[in-house]
Amino acid sequence: MDSFYDYDVVVVGAGHAGTEAALAAARLGAKTVLLTANLDTVAQMSCNPAIGGVGKGHIVREIDALGGAMGRAIDATGIQFRMLNVRKGPAMQGPRAQADKRRYQDEIKRIVEEQPNLHLRQEKVIEVLTESFSNEFPDCDQQIIGVRVVGDAIYRAKSVVLCCGTFMRGLIHIGSLQFPGGRASEAPANRISESLLKAGIQLSRFKTGTPARLNGKTICYSRLERQDGDETPRPFSFLNRKIEIEQIPCWMTYTNPALHQFIRDNFSRAPMFSGQISSTGPRYCPSIETKIDRFGEKERHQLYLEPESRTTNEVYINGLSTSFPRDIQDQMIRMIAGLENAQIMRYAYAIEYDYAPPHQLKASLETKKIAGLFFAGQLNGTTGYEEAGAQGLIAGTNAAFRLNSNAEPFIPTRDESYIGVMLDDLVTRSVDEPYRMFTSRAEYRLLLRQDNADRRLTPLAYRIGLVDDVRWNRLQFKEKSIQETQLLLNSTHDANGSLLKFLRRPETDWAAMIERLPVLREVDSEVAEQVSIDAKYAGYIERQEMEIERQKRLAFRKIPASFSYRDLIHLRAEAKEKLEKIRPVDLAQASRITGITPADIAVLLVCLEKRSLE
């Protein structure tokens, strides 16, 4: 006889997406259970033990501004912190931290275990359970009722969030060797794929990979270039004032022409070239064999040697991902400066896995086909811990909101956050390769800086209950200090006008401001930074805000869910096909679909206006 467990929200998979999803749902008061096949791998860093970067670091600060755990966890467990692109403007700067892999997992698990309304259980999910129902959205005739686990126990819920990572029909490649696995030494989740296909969800295949790990004691560091962290590291979390740790150095070396030729000579043994792997891999994190093939003119590529923990000698080789067989990997390592005697502790591998093309999702990350079923993380065709964590937070939030029939979904927009950019990119343009966030994806990046994520998103999070009074009061105090400082500068004059006008000069820094008005020495560094950036970029920000208002006018023109594009005589066949596939919610989203022209939007606008008059 089946056993039944009743919850409001069930989250499947305890990686970076699943933990943020479960925490968000629980913070909103939903009785939530987080199911994972192995309690010892909660929030495991399967690839590089690092958080952040340009674009990715912006997302982590946004997760933190929305009350998520990733920023606090890396602040507590980081071993090296760096702000990237410091020579560029503030919109291009991004925080990155190397993590203590073991401690990061433990910290996230601790946060999950201590969260009220959240239960953590070791269970292997084998099936999503649905039932038929009527719904206003086209093609949606099912709703989720729960999941089945090994042993035929059933977890019943109105909302289910799937965060399966690379486990769905995962297939690992090391040279010609192939074996099923969601990660090395872990079983795949094949039956979930079968269950989704049966329910009408379209699945496709992507590929990713990871480098070998070396024994740090066997590396000749004297032949490497040392890379230290920032002298004054900046926290990821807006709740933390400073980072006070002893930082561990990372190291840099390079590939060389002899290694490149060795790799070319052995292309036939690489699954990516032998035809063994046909799935698309990440463009911006390619295997070393792909780099050598794609960039044949380059004589060398940078390799970063990054410690995985304070308590282990394992070292990650950033830039040397591969699926070559073991004997080739052994020889490759010995051809690199500083690694001539290095010992491999874990061999590199590639993995192919199922993902669900995200045009099947609403912007809330709920599937269009099955009401109450949400997808997050690599299941949606993305890559990276940060992208996964952000999707998990949004999916978990909306899974909880769905319990209240009157609640609107929480969907950050492109002008509010990088998270909004990612959501819109996924559901509007879908993906044909693993999606990674870059600052270049955001058209309003001057507004979406990593330094102001709390000012942009914490008010939204507080309004819907994602953050508590402690975080809200901290932001209120900061905003008050910013306003008071701006008023002080605007009301203080010298021979050249107000000090606020003086601050707008590109060459003026805060030290120069203090020389003119010593009382500014007492201004908090975060407040000084915000006042400076707001002053220097005021004109650019104003222009971006005008463009945002123009886009909002398009967004006001909603498109009914049942709207039939096939009946529009004057709409191009390609436009009909793409609009039917994506089913945009408004004209603004329709205009961002790849291949949709201004002429298509004009036709659509006329038809919508005509329909509203009927």
Side-chain angles (χ1 to χ4, degrees):
M1 183 176 180
D2 292 343
S3 298
F4 295 95
Y5 303 96
D6 291 318
Y7 286 89
D8 296 325
V9 176
V10 171
V11 180
V12 179
H16 305 278
T19 50
E20 293 289 1
L23 288 166
R27 287 201 304 279
L28 291 169
K31 183 184 177 184
T32 306
V33 64
L34 176 58
L35 306 179
T36 176
N38 188 348
L39 288 176
D40 296 326
T41 58
V42 170
Q44 179 168 310
M45 292 176 147
S46 308
C47 199
N48 190 2
I51 292 293
V54 179
K56 290 173 174 284
H58 293 67
I59 287 180
V60 180
R61 299 215 88 195
E62 291 180 352
I63 291 172
D64 181 74
L66 293 169
M70 186 174 282
R72 286 177 287 140
I74 188 60
D75 283 353
T77 64
I79 60 179
Q80 189 192 88
F81 292 79
R82 295 179 64 218
M83 184 64 71
L84 306 183
N85 282 349
V86 290
R87 295 181 181 178
K88 297 183 179 180
M92 299 298 292
Q93 296 173 10
R96 183 185 187 274
Q98 198 67 22
D100 186 314
K101 182 176 180 177
R102 307 292 183 188
R103 288 191 60 214
Y104 184 88
Q105 288 180 230
D106 290 343
E107 181 65 11
I108 292 289
K109 189 166 183 278
R110 180 193 67 78
I111 293 171
V112 167
E113 290 176 345
E114 293 181 0
Q115 173 64 49
N117 301 319
L118 177 54
H119 300 167
L120 178 62
R121 289 198 175 187
Q122 184 164 295
E123 297 275 23
K124 186 173 178 61
V125 175
I126 57 175
E127 184 182 7
V128 294
L129 303 175
T130 65
E131 66 180 9
S132 300
F133 87 128
S134 58
N135 185 53
E136 61 175 311
F137 287 93
D139 303 323
C140 183
D141 57 0
Q142 303 171 74
Q143 66 180 2
I144 200 75
I145 58 174
V147 299
R148 186 186 304 276
V149 301
V150 170
D152 281 337
I154 292 174
Y155 285 80
R156 297 184 291 205
K158 292 183 179 179
S159 295
V160 171
V161 185
L162 282 188
C163 310
C164 300
T166 60
F167 279 75
M168 286 172 42
R169 292 195 295 197
L171 182 64
I172 291 174
H173 301 261
I174 305 176
S176 60
L177 176 66
Q178 302 177 62
F179 55 92
R183 281 187 296 242
S185 305
E186 294 186 65
N190 295 348
R191 295 178 68 180
I192 295 180
S193 290
E194 296 166 5
S195 175
L196 292 176
L197 288 168
K198 184 179 179 181
I201 299 295
Q202 175 191 343
L203 299 179
S204 192
R205 301 280 280 176
F206 272 160
K207 168 263 177 189
T208 190
T210 188
R213 272 61 160 185
L214 303 181
N215 185 336
K217 293 191 298 183
T218 64
I219 295 172
C220 182
Y221 289 101
S222 63
R223 301 201 62 199
L224 308 179
E225 297 176 23
R226 179 171 173 139
Q227 185 181 68
D228 290 305
D230 292 341
E231 186 174 340
T232 305
R234 288 190 58 167
F236 277 84
S237 176
F238 291 97
L239 294 178
N240 295 327
R241 298 296 300 161
K242 56 185 176 180
I243 301 291
E244 293 182 326
I245 61 159
E246 180 184 353
Q247 299 192 68
I248 295 177
C250 295
W251 304 85
M252 188 165 64
T253 186
Y254 300 88
T255 62
N256 54 69
L259 174 60
H260 293 188
Q261 188 58 50
F262 175 74
I263 290 173
R264 290 190 192 98
D265 291 343
N266 287 279
F267 273 164
S268 61
R269 300 189 65 191
M272 288 294 294
F273 292 89
S274 67
Q276 183 174 309
I277 294 177
S278 57
S279 305
T280 304
R283 176 189 300 267
Y284 301 102
C285 188
S287 66
I288 187 63
E289 52 265 38
T290 301
K291 283 189 211 175
I292 302 308
D293 180 61
R294 188 180 297 167
F295 308 108
E297 74 285 357
K298 294 198 68 172
E299 292 191 352
R300 67 178 191 173
H301 296 276
Q302 290 179 330
L303 302 175
Y304 293 94
L305 304 183
E306 299 168 329
E308 292 217 321
S309 172
R310 295 182 188 274
T311 57
T312 180
N313 287 312
E314 286 190 67
V315 174
Y316 179 94
I317 321 173
N318 193 340
L320 203 68
S321 173
T322 185
S323 57
F324 270 124
R326 294 177 178 220
D327 62 309
I328 299 295
Q329 293 188 42
D330 288 330
Q331 294 179 69
M332 285 168 51
I333 294 297
R334 289 194 288 268
M335 298 177 72
I336 298 169
L339 308 184
E340 291 88 348
N341 298 307
Q343 297 175 3
I344 294 177
M345 297 179 73
R346 301 177 197 248
Y347 282 92
Y349 63 87
I351 181 170
E352 291 183 286
Y353 57 94
D354 285 350
Y355 78 98
H359 67 269
Q360 301 172 97
L361 300 174
K362 305 174 191 176
S364 63
L365 297 183
E366 183 180 17
T367 60
K368 297 174 182 176
K369 187 76 175 177
I370 305 171
L373 178 62
F374 296 78
F375 291 166
Q378 285 178 281
L379 178 55
N380 290 339
T382 62
T383 180
Y385 310 140
E386 303 83 1
E387 291 89 343
Q391 291 172 71
L393 191 152
I394 299 301
T397 297
N398 289 318
F401 280 174
R402 192 179 177 277
L403 305 175
N404 179 357
S405 58
N406 296 319
E408 290 291 323
F410 176 56
I411 305 171
T413 58
R414 296 185 71 93
D415 58 277
E416 291 174 333
S417 65
Y418 274 89
I419 295 176
V421 171
M422 175 176 61
L423 295 176
D424 185 62
D425 283 351
L426 292 176
V427 303
T428 302
R429 298 168 181 166
S430 201
V431 295
D432 54 15
E433 62 184 44
Y435 180 97
R436 177 179 178 177
M437 178 52 68
F438 294 100
T439 52
S440 58
R441 294 190 187 275
E443 59 270 45
Y444 307 120
R445 53 185 171 274
L446 281 178
L447 299 175
L448 308 183
R449 307 181 310 274
Q450 57 83 24
D451 59 82
N452 69 354
D454 57 338
R455 299 177 70 190
R456 292 184 279 113
L457 295 177
T458 297
L460 300 177
Y462 185 71
R463 187 164 66 243
I464 64 176
L466 271 176
V467 301
D468 59 17
D469 289 337
V470 172
R471 190 181 288 269
W472 174 245
N473 291 336
R474 186 185 182 97
L475 176 63
Q476 291 293 94
F477 181 79
K478 179 178 175 179
E479 289 286 15
K480 181 181 178 183
S481 299
I482 291 170
Q483 293 170 12
E484 290 174 345
T485 304
Q486 289 171 333
L487 287 172
L488 174 63
L489 295 178
N490 202 34
S491 61
T492 304
H493 293 70
D494 61 13
N496 298 310
S498 74
L499 290 189
L500 189 60
K501 183 178 179 181
F502 176 64
L503 180 58
R504 289 186 179 131
R505 297 179 180 179
E507 70 276 9
T508 304
D509 59 15
W510 198 252
M513 298 297 295
I514 292 174
E515 286 184 12
R516 295 191 174 225
L517 190 62
V519 71
L520 294 176
R521 195 182 308 276
E522 306 301 319
V523 174
D524 179 84
S525 59
E526 283 189 9
V527 171
E529 177 185 58
Q530 293 302 290
V531 172
S532 296
I533 294 173
D534 286 351
K536 293 182 186 300
Y537 290 88
Y540 299 102
I541 290 172
E542 182 178 357
R543 285 200 290 271
Q544 290 207 338
E545 288 175 340
M546 291 173 61
E547 173 59 22
I548 289 169
E549 287 303 313
R550 190 186 75 82
Q551 285 294 319
K552 284 182 177 178
R553 288 194 291 273
L554 280 178
F556 283 134
R557 179 65 71 172
K558 301 297 181 183
I559 303 176
S562 58
F563 191 83
S564 175
Y565 300 96
R566 296 188 181 92
D567 299 334
L568 304 184
I569 299 173
H570 300 292
L571 196 62
R572 295 178 305 122
E574 180 188 358
K576 291 180 183 180
E577 180 182 338
K578 291 187 173 182
L579 290 165
E580 283 286 355
K581 177 180 178 181
I582 302 298
R583 304 210 64 83
V585 297
D586 54 44
L587 281 183
Q589 185 185 6
S591 69
R592 294 192 295 270
I593 297 174
T594 303
I596 297 299
T597 68
D600 297 327
I601 297 300
V603 170
L604 191 53
L605 177 59
V606 169
C607 294
L608 288 170
E609 289 181 343
K610 180 179 179 181
R611 181 170 178 171
S612 66
L613 294 174
E614 292 177 350

